[in-house]
Amino acid sequence: MKPLIVALALVLAAPAPAAQAAARTPHDLRRLAHQNGIRIGTAVDVAALRTEPDYRAALNREFTNVTAENAMKWESVEPQRGVHTWADADAVVDNARRHGQQVRGHNLVWHNQLPAWLTEGVQNGTIGAAELRRILRDHITTEVRRYKGRIRAWDVVNEVIDEDGTLRKSIWLTQLGPGYIADAFRWARQADPRAKLYVNDYNLEWNSPKIEATLALIKDLRSQGVPVDGIGFQGHLGIQYDYPGDWANVMRRFADLGLEVAVTEMDVRMVLPVTPEKLATQAAYYGRALTGCLSVPACKEFTVWGFTDRHSWVPGWFDGEGAACLLDESLTPKPAYTTLLTSTP
Ligand code: G3I
């Protein structure tokens, strides 16, 4: 080919600047995840996964990581003592495997969504402390072993620090003493040595007593050789409150301990009705949160607590609030979704 023709061919083949920019902007969250080397996850509603093809399609198109919203909690997997019901949790894990998604296990020790046989047994004294400790060990061992090799990370203890920085006065603390936390991590490590083990909590984005107490707890555990690998920031925000502007610095403080950092349950609720202004503020909150995570090398997971307003815990818990997710009820992307796609560190 003559040099002139070669030069012309190269010019014609080169994308125009606008096309280059478009090529850099990912078209969905899965691509955003790959471009940034992070996992982008969502909580999964098992009933919707089973019965709503459009929900299933969006879930599998957009996300590289999943968390069962309720299906792995103790009341779901052992509703009667010794009777395990794994079908819902299996459905989440099996669907994830078929679609190349990693799984966050949620959760092993919590004060909520415990089966009635357990809470009532403790309350009426038929389950004493020694037995309760065995029950907890068996629960952790059974569930973690069942999904060994299929769950990347477990929320081992969920919400164990109170707002004032003291240990939460759950049945675990009052019956077993503070050692239950170290025990839980050790039992989980034994059951699946490769799973990453997390402390997970809310309001950790801004609440100083909680932040300081959680840092101190994890330092103390690690100094005793307890296998804590990561910290999960739930990230339940609302636009009626200021954005927690120091959040990325808080992430760095945990990362400096050598921990993995993850955003585990992000959503941004608002007082209804929805307005364009509120959606814009919501988008800014989501964008700042992702940008914060991307600016901290240890933060490699950004998980939302449900991706559609069709299925969100918010309206059931906060009167008059809602619209907290990235997609609306009909799965149409909201401004927050578009903002995430263009977020950079
Ligand atoms: O499954 C029962 C159903 O049988 C019953 O008929 C119905 C009537 O109330 O309740 C159903 O259980 C509900 C369950 O979700 C499953 O849908 C519970 O009432 C309801 O309280 C429960 O709420 C869950 C909540 O945790 C419980 O604390 C939310 O879906 C779930 O999104 C939420 O998730 C938590 C995270 O695990 C930890 N961080 C905070 C986050 C939001 O609260």
Side-chain angles (χ1 to χ4, degrees), residues 14-341:
Q20 275 174 343
R24 281 196 301 271
T25 302
H27 297 298
D28 54 37
L29 298 176
R30 202 178 256 269
R31 234 166 297 181
L32 174 73
H34 288 138
Q35 283 184 12
N36 288 286
I38 65 167
R39 299 174 295 281
I40 298 200
T42 182
V44 178
D45 178 316
V46 181
L49 171 67
R50 286 211 175 96
T51 59
E52 297 173 19
D54 59 344
Y55 176 97
R56 195 162 51 238
L59 167 71
N60 294 331
R61 180 182 68 239
E62 299 285 342
F63 296 96
T64 64
N65 208 93
V66 291
T67 307
E69 184 175 359
N70 289 298
M72 290 187 186
K73 294 172 182 174
W74 201 332
E75 71 170 7
S76 305
V77 299
E78 196 182 2
Q80 291 167 45
R81 189 164 184 185
V83 179
H84 289 95
T85 46
W86 301 111
D88 286 358
D90 284 356
V92 173
V93 173
D94 293 345
N95 182 73
R97 175 158 273 198
R98 282 198 299 278
H99 295 89
Q101 295 160 328
Q102 291 186 289
V103 184
R104 166 171 289 273
H106 177 80
N107 53 57
L108 296 172
V109 190
W110 196 22
H111 59 279
N112 268 338
Q113 290 179 284
L114 292 169
W117 61 263
L118 177 59
T119 48
E120 284 164 14
V122 170
Q123 213 167 17
N124 66 27
T126 54
I127 297 177
E131 190 179 1
L132 185 65
R133 189 165 182 272
R134 278 196 301 275
I135 289 172
L136 181 61
R137 187 197 57 207
D138 290 349
H139 167 65
I140 292 175
T141 305
T142 305
E143 185 156 9
V144 175
R145 261 200 206 141
R146 178 175 182 87
Y147 296 109
K148 186 177 178 192
R150 292 187 288 165
I151 295 227
R152 181 191 177 277
W154 272 104
D155 293 331
V156 175
V157 294
N158 195 37
E159 304 171 1
V160 291
I161 303 285
D162 238 323
E163 301 303 312
D164 64 359
T166 59
L167 286 176
R168 183 183 291 276
K169 286 146 208 75
S170 62
I171 61 165
W172 307 116
L173 182 69
T174 53
Q175 302 296 309
L176 306 181
Y180 82 90
I181 297 177
D183 287 341
F185 278 95
R186 290 193 169 116
W187 292 327
R189 175 60 29 106
Q190 272 168 16
D192 184 353
R194 294 183 65 184
K196 301 292 181 188
L197 306 180
Y198 274 65
V199 170
N200 189 48
D201 215 329
Y202 64 90
N203 288 356
L204 203 54
E205 302 81 30
W206 54 269
N207 179 334
S208 305
K210 211 173 206 188
I211 293 165
E212 300 309 325
T214 307
L215 283 163
L217 171 69
I218 295 178
K219 274 187 206 163
D220 180 48
L221 288 169
R222 285 167 62 110
S223 75
Q224 298 169 51
V226 178
V228 182
D229 302 308
I231 183 73
F233 291 83
Q234 293 187 3
H236 295 293
L237 306 184
I239 61 165
Q240 64 273 39
Y241 312 108
D242 289 341
Y243 182 82
D246 210 35
W247 186 5
N249 289 327
V250 180
M251 287 184 187
R252 271 178 215 109
R253 291 184 66 194
F254 282 92
D256 287 347
L257 299 184
L259 295 169
E260 289 191 357
V261 172
V263 177
T264 53
E265 305 184 15
M266 181 90 205
D267 52 18
V268 184
R269 60 188 186 271
M270 61 182 67
V271 175
L272 299 172
V274 173
T275 66
E277 292 73 29
K278 289 181 195 170
L279 290 177
T281 307
Q282 178 184 56
Y285 279 39
Y286 268 105
R288 285 181 76 176
L290 178 60
T291 298
C293 169
L294 292 175
S295 74
V296 178
C299 185
K300 293 267 183 274
E301 178 183 335
F302 186 85
T303 285
V304 294
W305 205 241
F307 60 89
T308 165
D309 293 336
R310 193 192 292 170
H311 299 293
S312 163
W313 69 292
V314 170
W317 287 73
F318 299 97
D319 235 7
E321 297 181 42
C325 301
L326 297 173
L327 310 181
D328 71 11
E329 287 88 351
S330 61
L331 304 185
T332 303
K334 292 156 69 178
Y337 174 90
T338 320
T339 299
L340 288 190
L341 292 186

